[in-house]
Amino acid sequence: MAIREVREMGDDVLEKQCKPVTKMTLRTKILIEDMLDTMYEKMGVGLAAPQVGILKQIVVIDVGGGPIVLINPEIVETSGEQTGEEGCLSVPGKWGIVTRPNYVKVRALNENMEEFEIEGEELLARAFCHEIDHLGGHLYVEKVEGELHDSPAYNEGDMEYEVEE
């Protein structure tokens, strides 16, 4: 498919509320494929539709177990806490310390518009929270404890999140 331009902090589209997806269309299927291709090309572990300029409630994630597509996701349960470095493809070259739940359960629709629930811990829980925040117009920088800092090894191929052990 196609690699889409990733919008960066300061772009108004990243501050807007996304609209729910009401039906699966060919255009939406292409968007999901493009989002996955873009996420993999940029070496991220997650990407939300507003990051490619589309105000739809769609998230793609892959923390190493294969792609996860979440349509109209909502967090229905959280527990525990983890604090670690977090970055974002929309804030290139920067990292910050963010505290997130260590366990997250999400309810969403799949690509067939069927409801399902998925659970994640550690990195996957962090990714769920980070990407779903994008759908409400929020970037992780709003949650950073202390200052943002430059990633010393930053290049276009760095991972989007890193969890401190």
Side-chain angles (χ1 to χ4, degrees):
M1 292 284 158
I3 305 302
R4 298 203 182 197
E5 175 192 351
V6 175
R7 305 296 181 91
E8 294 186 6
M9 189 166 69
D11 190 316
D12 289 346
V13 75
L14 295 173
E15 298 171 9
K16 295 187 185 317
Q17 180 76 33
C18 292
K19 293 180 174 27
V21 176
T22 56
K23 63 181 180 181
M24 184 55 60
T25 63
L26 178 58
R27 175 179 257 165
T28 302
K29 287 180 183 182
I30 291 169
L31 170 62
I32 291 168
E33 289 301 316
D34 288 356
M35 287 174 61
L36 286 165
D37 290 346
T38 302
M39 177 185 70
Y40 291 129
E41 175 72 20
K42 301 290 185 181
M43 302 291 285
V45 297
L47 191 68
Q51 291 181 274
V52 293
I54 307 296
L55 291 173
K56 289 186 175 183
Q57 292 183 12
I58 301 172
V59 164
V60 297
I61 294 171
D62 189 343
V63 296
I68 298 168
V69 176
L70 303 172
I71 299 169
N72 303 339
E74 62 176 315
I75 294 172
V76 294
E77 186 180 331
T78 65
S79 67
E81 191 174 271
Q82 61 172 306
T83 299
E85 289 201 342
E86 198 165 307
C88 180
L89 295 175
S90 292
V91 189
K94 299 288 184 185
W95 295 84
I97 302 295
V98 178
T99 298
R100 301 271 192 188
N102 196 55
Y103 164 85
V104 175
K105 181 190 283 187
V106 174
R107 181 178 301 130
L109 301 176
N110 64 20
E111 291 171 277
N112 296 318
M113 300 300 283
E114 300 162 336
E115 188 175 286
F116 73 104
E117 289 186 348
I118 185 169
E119 301 171 312
E121 294 181 327
E122 300 173 352
L123 180 59
L124 184 54
R126 180 177 293 278
F128 285 154
C129 293
H130 178 109
E131 299 307 333
I132 291 171
D133 277 355
H134 276 297
L135 304 181
H138 301 286
L139 293 172
Y140 84 100
V141 298
E142 298 170 25
K143 298 181 184 317
V144 168
E145 300 164 18
E147 299 290 317
L148 278 180
H149 55 275
D150 292 331
S151 176
Y154 174 72
N155 64 44
E156 287 290 322
D158 277 349
M159 291 297 282
E160 191 168 347
Y161 316 97
E162 181 178 298
V163 176
E164 286 184 350
E165 296 299 323

